[in-house]
Amino acid sequence: MHYISTRGQAPALSFEEAVLTGLATDGGLYVPENIPQFSREQIAAWAGLPYNELAFEVIKPFVDGEIEDADLKDIIDRSYQTFRHSAVAPLVQLENNLWVMELFHGPTLAFKDFALQFLGNLFDHLLEKRGQKVVVMGATSGDTGSAAIEGCKRCKNIDIFILHPHNRVSDVQRRQMTSILEPNVHNIALEGNFDDCQNMVKASFADQSFLPEDRQLAAVNSINWARIMAQVVYYFHAALSLGGPHRAVSFSVPTGNFGDIFAGYIAKQMGLPIEQLVIATNANDVLHRCISNNDFSKQPLVHSLSPSMDIMISSNFERLLFDLYNRDGEAIRQLMSDFNNGQASMEETALAKARELFSSYRCDDDRMVEVIAREYDNSDYLLDPHTATGVDAARACRRGTDVPMVCLSTAHPAKFPEAVRKAGYPQDPPLPHHMADLFERKERYTVKDNDLKTIQEFVARNL
């Protein structure tokens, strides 16, 4: 299995090289040269498998023998031992054929744990084998950072630097990152928004001359293919739990950076019978504007009550565009250049393909708060603001009630007490017992100006 860049000018890499490289040298994102295919009979044979065993079956073709089966199984087993529910990703029914899949039972209470517990163990295995050390540099709108730190904090071959937008993540999200005091962990609060953090990381990957000669950057953001690969698994898990592959299943996915729903698209390409994929956005709605009105333009970023989706530059959307444009790297380079200059639109044929694959929806803060309140009143089930966006999108966009619709519940409501209180919940939702002392833990982080040279000097000084 080779991995190629969406912009067509970087060399093809092996799985191991793609994982450790992250962003391609031409600015593109790595994708598999070919998507593995499973027959309906193969998928049906996985019904009833424990989550870790299903993960091995789904992930194995992407690795293509570069890691021994026994080692890959061990990496996967260790990654999901840390989850606090025996089903790993349990399904909860809200109404007839409408379900939420709870993806918040990992160590940091967010869906990012599925990919980043795996990626941390994968990094450790590959780096130990190569006798190599790397610098992990990542940007977070809230959840990726804590999950990445949790996955990498014990890795002796990694120094990790996470940038978050100063005062633009929830207190719980910040403390989950900044209360990890291992010496290889560095939190940077950037005076800017998430897109500024993400641009800083991308610029650093493009020119790594600020690092010592024996170090390179490795990516934990969803630009790293291994993260997408790990997220594909829970689409198979949900579908098999609801009668797949003998019946189709639909999914509604709250998303800002497009990685989580892109994993659903990959699952569909692999043979999973997915009827509908619904893109649920908040007021930062570039994905909805693009699908509904062909408006692929930058707009000012809005600070919302669902901060993990406060993203205007959806990096993983480029991976989809690469397929929509028949894997034409030159066309993607031009399209992304137009977008970076402030205005872009898709060719009509590409837009038509996107609309066949996806529905889209926008849910602002006022509407999201209503959804949380209504669901709690009706069923005593408390949604976090991102999941509420997905539930609202599911109800608005589903084409009928005969196909099960699964909303990805991406975070625990305790991470977002402000939104929950606005919905009328009488108190801050309690943190799980293993995190009950979070607000008593010591914090360590550094506030930095939105300046690339300043950030890169800080990284180099702390290696």
Side-chain angles (χ1 to χ4, degrees), residues 253-261 278-282 284 287 308-309:
V253 186
T255 188
N257 215 17
F258 202 74
D260 207 11
I261 196 164
V278 179
I279 300 167
T281 72
N282 64 11
N284 297 294
L287 295 169
S308 297
M309 297 194 293

Side-chain angles (χ1 to χ4, degrees), residues 33-202:
E33 196 167 33
N34 300 291
I35 302 298
Q37 303 289 309
F38 297 128
S39 68
R40 182 164 293 201
E41 291 72 26
Q42 283 177 290
I43 297 170
W46 300 337
L49 286 181
Y51 191 91
N52 58 326
E53 293 182 23
L54 175 64
F56 173 76
E57 298 294 343
V58 173
I59 289 172
K60 180 181 175 180
F62 292 108
V63 177
D64 197 26
E66 290 189 45
I67 299 173
E68 295 289 337
D69 284 358
D71 290 332
L72 182 59
K73 286 179 178 178
D74 179 62
I75 290 167
I76 292 169
D77 290 348
R78 285 187 286 116
S79 299
Y80 299 111
Q81 283 172 354
T82 59
F83 282 63
R84 287 174 167 79
H85 195 293
S86 58
V88 182
L91 288 161
V92 175
Q93 188 167 12
L94 296 184
E95 60 190 52
N96 180 48
N97 262 347
L98 181 63
W99 307 75
V100 294
M101 180 165 53
E102 293 183 341
L103 300 178
F104 53 71
H105 293 285
T108 71
L109 313 182
F111 80 100
K112 307 292 178 73
D113 288 323
F114 280 83
L116 287 163
Q117 285 294 300
F118 172 75
L119 185 59
N121 287 315
L122 179 63
F123 273 154
D124 222 18
H125 174 83
L126 296 179
L127 294 171
E128 190 67 24
K129 184 176 75 172
R130 294 161 69 105
Q132 182 180 351
K133 290 189 174 183
V134 297
V135 177
V136 165
M137 191 173 179
T140 185
S141 56
D143 290 330
T144 292
S146 57
I149 289 168
E150 191 68 31
C152 294
K153 67 183 183 182
R154 295 184 183 89
C155 298
K156 61 184 180 181
N157 297 309
I158 291 175
D159 290 288
I160 181 167
F161 296 80
I162 296 295
L163 288 76
H164 71 268
H166 188 38
N167 292 328
R168 294 195 179 191
V169 300
S170 76
D171 288 346
V172 172
Q173 287 177 311
R174 186 192 76 247
R175 285 177 175 272
Q176 283 184 300
M177 294 185 284
T178 60
S179 62
I180 304 298
L181 304 180
E182 271 79 358
N184 67 327
V185 173
H186 305 274
N187 281 287
I188 300 169
L190 191 75
E191 297 282 13
N193 59 38
F194 169 76
D195 287 337
D196 295 323
C197 296
Q198 184 164 256
N199 288 336
M200 200 80 70
V201 171
K202 287 184 175 181

Side-chain angles (χ1 to χ4, degrees), residues 331-389:
I332 298 305
R333 273 201 310 281
Q334 184 59 55
L335 183 63
M336 298 312 296
S337 175
D338 292 345
F339 176 74
N340 289 329
N341 289 328
Q343 184 65 48
S345 59
M346 294 169 61
E347 292 179 356
E348 287 299 324
T349 53
L351 181 62
K353 291 179 190 175
R355 287 173 172 168
E356 287 178 12
L357 293 164
F358 298 96
S359 306
S360 67
Y361 184 79
R362 179 188 190 274
C363 177
D364 63 19
D365 277 354
D366 290 342
R367 176 63 181 170
M368 175 271 295
V369 168
E370 289 177 14
V371 174
I372 293 176
R374 182 179 64 184
E375 199 58 51
Y376 187 68
D377 287 344
N378 289 346
S379 66
D380 287 338
Y381 191 80
L382 187 60
L383 301 168
D384 97 286
H386 308 80
T387 307
T389 299

